[in-house]
Amino acid sequence: CEIVGASDSSLRHAQPNDLSSLLRVAPLELIATTGKTAARLYKKLLQPLYPELPLLELSSTSAANASMSLDALIEAYRVLIVS
């Protein structure tokens, strides 16, 4: 893809990664994305290929989207900790 800096709004020509080799060796239970753009692109480009993997849409950690406190972000991301 093409992107200027870290600006999601400048993202152009996104292409999906081939996850098939990863899925053969890793017992993935879900796909987690950070931010609305990542979730939108996953739904468009990859979810049709891997419908068995649920999507977990997490809030962006970008300073440009500081709508959540650090404590709220930690709590939202806690689900990703493997026990």
Side-chain angles (χ1 to χ4, degrees):
C1 74
E2 299 170 15
I3 190 168
V4 176
S7 172
D8 286 352
S9 63
S10 72
L11 195 121
R12 303 285 182 267
H13 310 294
Q15 296 294 314
N17 289 317
D18 180 359
L19 300 180
S20 59
S21 60
L22 175 64
L23 291 172
R24 280 195 296 275
V25 297
L28 297 183
E29 295 178 13
L30 61 84
I31 297 293
T33 59
T34 57
K36 292 182 188 331
T37 300
R40 179 179 52 79
L41 289 171
Y42 176 78
K43 289 174 187 176
K44 176 182 175 183
L45 300 173
L46 284 169
Q47 199 167 42
L49 302 174
Y50 307 103
E52 71 280 6
L53 289 173
L55 170 63
L56 174 62
E57 296 180 45
L58 295 166
S59 295
S60 174
T61 57
S62 170
N65 179 31
S67 62
M68 292 181 78
S69 69
L70 177 58
D71 289 338
L73 280 172
I74 290 170
E75 190 58 34
Y77 278 68
R78 189 174 307 281
V79 69
L80 297 177
I81 297 173
V82 178
S83 50

